[in-house]
Amino acid sequence: MKHKSIFLSLLGTLVFLGACEKKLQPVEVEIKDPQRHYYPVIQGELLGITYDIENTSDHPLFIQEIQTTCGCMFSEDKLPIVILPKQKGKVHFSYNSTKNTGYVEHFAWLYGNFADSLYRELKFDTNVVPPSDYTRDYEELYHQVLTRSSDLKDLVDGKSTEKGYYTDEGQDPRELNRVEMQKTIDDLVSF
């Protein structure tokens, strides 16, 4: 019995030491739409942002640190984020538009064992529009967030912060509408 416990102790020590010698291997990943343009949000609303990450290599991805350009954008995930080989994962952010007005552009940097660099950059932009009645100060916006309940309008129309995003690869849907409208006008004028 004593020899068995000594053997198990030695075996456990060897396994522990063997596991400590492993190094993080560089990992190839694909991030879906790392640069995004979100539709305008009303000042004071929270915008939820989720990036899909696919680990295409044979080793696990460890995202050890996330940095953002502003305290108004924060990661909702507990670090480290681990994405197993040949698996997909997500990184979640929340953007609080309370202290911004107008065009905003923010970045987030993911630090991990990426094959081609030390970090990966994520970018998004949007326009923060003040409410139409008057511009509220920070205390009023904070009070509004604390007392907000689900409005009937949100239940019917959906939340304005959940309308999605578009990328530079395709054409902006708003631009498509302008092109179609101009074509209709040209057809009417030439008639």
Side-chain angles (χ1 to χ4, degrees):
M1 190 68 168
K2 185 175 182 181
H3 295 295
K4 196 176 199 179
S5 65
I6 292 173
F7 175 74
L8 289 175
S9 297
L10 285 173
L11 182 63
T13 304
L14 288 174
V15 168
F16 177 74
L17 291 176
C20 291
E21 293 180 20
K22 296 209 179 217
K23 293 182 181 179
L24 285 178
Q25 298 296 322
V27 173
E28 294 286 335
V29 299
E30 291 181 19
I31 300 176
K32 182 179 179 188
D33 302 329
Q35 296 184 3
R36 300 175 176 185
H37 310 286
Y38 282 91
Y39 293 100
V41 296
I42 297 174
Q43 186 178 28
E45 291 183 331
L46 288 177
L47 176 63
I49 304 167
T50 301
Y51 289 94
D52 295 325
I53 301 174
E54 182 177 1
N55 180 353
T56 59
S57 73
D58 295 326
H59 303 286
L61 169 65
F62 290 92
I63 299 173
Q64 297 143 340
E65 184 177 348
I66 297 176
Q67 293 180 356
T68 60
T69 54
C70 177
C72 57
M73 180 180 172
F74 56 92
S75 173
E76 297 178 353
D77 299 306
K78 185 177 177 183
L79 295 175
I81 300 170
V82 179
I83 301 175
L84 299 176
K86 309 291 185 200
Q87 299 290 318
K88 293 181 181 181
K90 296 179 183 292
V91 178
H92 304 89
F93 293 97
S94 284
Y95 167 66
N96 185 344
S97 65
T98 301
K99 294 185 179 182
N100 297 118
T101 304
Y103 176 79
V104 294
E105 178 179 76
H106 290 292
F107 296 87
W109 295 280
L110 309 177
Y111 290 88
N113 57 325
F114 300 108
D116 51 356
S117 67
L118 296 174
Y119 65 91
R120 284 296 181 97
E121 183 177 89
L122 307 174
K123 173 188 166 190
F124 85 94
D125 60 60
T126 188
N127 280 297
V128 179
V129 182
S132 61
D133 49 358
Y134 73 98
T135 304
R136 295 174 174 92
D137 63 8
Y138 296 137
E139 288 84 15
E140 289 174 305
L141 289 170
Y142 180 70
H143 179 70
Q144 179 183 351
V145 168
L146 290 179
T147 59
R148 184 180 299 159
S149 62
S150 51
D151 296 325
L152 183 59
K153 181 183 179 306
D154 288 346
L155 294 173
V156 175
D157 297 336
K159 294 183 179 179
S160 63
T161 58
E162 296 175 353
K163 292 186 179 180
Y165 64 92
Y166 58 96
T167 64
D168 290 331
E169 291 177 16
Q171 195 172 14
D172 179 359
R174 295 175 290 190
E175 185 64 29
L176 286 174
N177 290 339
R178 284 186 214 131
V179 170
E180 290 172 8
M181 183 62 75
Q182 187 63 45
K183 184 179 177 198
T184 304
I185 292 171
D186 291 343
D187 290 343
L188 290 173
V189 170
S190 66
F191 189 55

